Amino acid sequence: GLGMLINRQHVKSSESLLSPEMMKAAARQEASIPAKTPEELQQEELRRLYSTADVLAVPSRKEPFGLVALEAMACGLPVVASNEGGLPEFINSEVGALVPVDNEDMLCGAILEELLRSHEDPRRRAEISRYVKERFTQRLFVIKLEQLYASTLSIPRRLRNH
């Protein structure tokens, strides 16, 4: 998935936040700048990059899972994403916001709201990181997978084929 890291400095003009129209123009301009994919960055560089941002925007039209969003959340970033694919499985109002696909006004509004929430509550980053670590670690995945295998194998063979 593709995401855009957003820092409060990108959206402040003097003491007021930019209008949604100005945010859209800035997003179009930043989108034209070539960027490295997460695969091209080392994990440490990703953590450093996530730590400099205030919000991750993932305005995907199709997103099977959203690993980029989960990685950013593990680093404490709130995520504003499209209500699409696997993203609603782990993004909720505790850790970010979901908006309809292709709704730029709601996307911009949600980004601004998340910037304000994070600014008002400095503990929020730690809470978002804890949310991910309590639910989506590799260890938990292995435990759930083992439980699934065990429950599947315990179903009588005659019932599994129907």
Side-chain angles (χ1 to χ4, degrees):
L2 178 64
M4 181 189 320
L5 294 170
I6 298 170
N7 187 294
R8 280 190 303 272
Q9 295 170 352
H10 289 130
V11 293
K12 280 200 173 182
S13 172
S14 300
E15 291 299 313
S16 62
L17 294 173
L18 295 177
S19 70
E21 293 78 25
M22 294 172 82
M23 289 258 319
K24 288 181 210 173
R28 283 191 295 273
Q29 181 180 356
E30 286 185 19
S32 67
I33 299 170
K36 292 182 179 181
T37 64
E39 293 79 22
E40 296 172 317
L41 298 170
Q42 298 296 326
Q43 287 297 329
E44 190 57 40
E45 178 65 11
L46 271 176
R47 281 190 283 279
R48 186 197 64 73
L49 194 58
Y50 289 140
S51 72
T52 65
D54 294 304
V55 174
L56 176 72
V58 185
S60 298
R61 289 191 176 104
K62 293 187 180 194
E63 190 68 52
F65 179 70
L67 185 58
V68 170
L70 203 55
E71 288 173 339
M73 289 166 52
C75 294
L77 275 184
V79 175
V80 175
S82 300
N83 191 4
E84 175 62 37
L87 295 166
E89 295 295 320
F90 59 90
I91 297 173
N92 58 46
S93 61
E94 288 180 58
V95 298
L98 292 167
V99 297
V101 174
D102 291 330
N103 189 323
E104 294 176 9
D105 291 334
M106 287 188 75
L107 178 68
C108 290
I111 290 168
L112 292 174
E113 180 65 29
E114 288 303 319
L115 288 170
L116 290 172
R117 284 179 68 190
S118 293
H119 180 69
E120 292 170 357
D121 185 4
R123 299 168 303 181
R124 190 147 186 263
R125 287 184 83 111
E127 292 166 0
I128 292 170
S129 180
R130 185 172 35 257
Y131 170 87
V132 171
K133 290 173 183 169
E134 289 174 354
R135 291 167 177 81
F136 300 102
T137 64
Q138 185 175 14
R139 182 181 62 78
L140 290 173
F141 175 76
V142 169
I143 290 169
K144 288 179 181 180
L145 190 59
E146 287 173 344
Q147 290 171 343
L148 177 64
Y149 285 150
S151 68
T152 301
L153 294 174
S154 68
I155 298 172
R157 185 175 192 87
R158 62 182 164 68
L159 296 177
R160 271 187 260 156
N161 295 331
H162 297 286

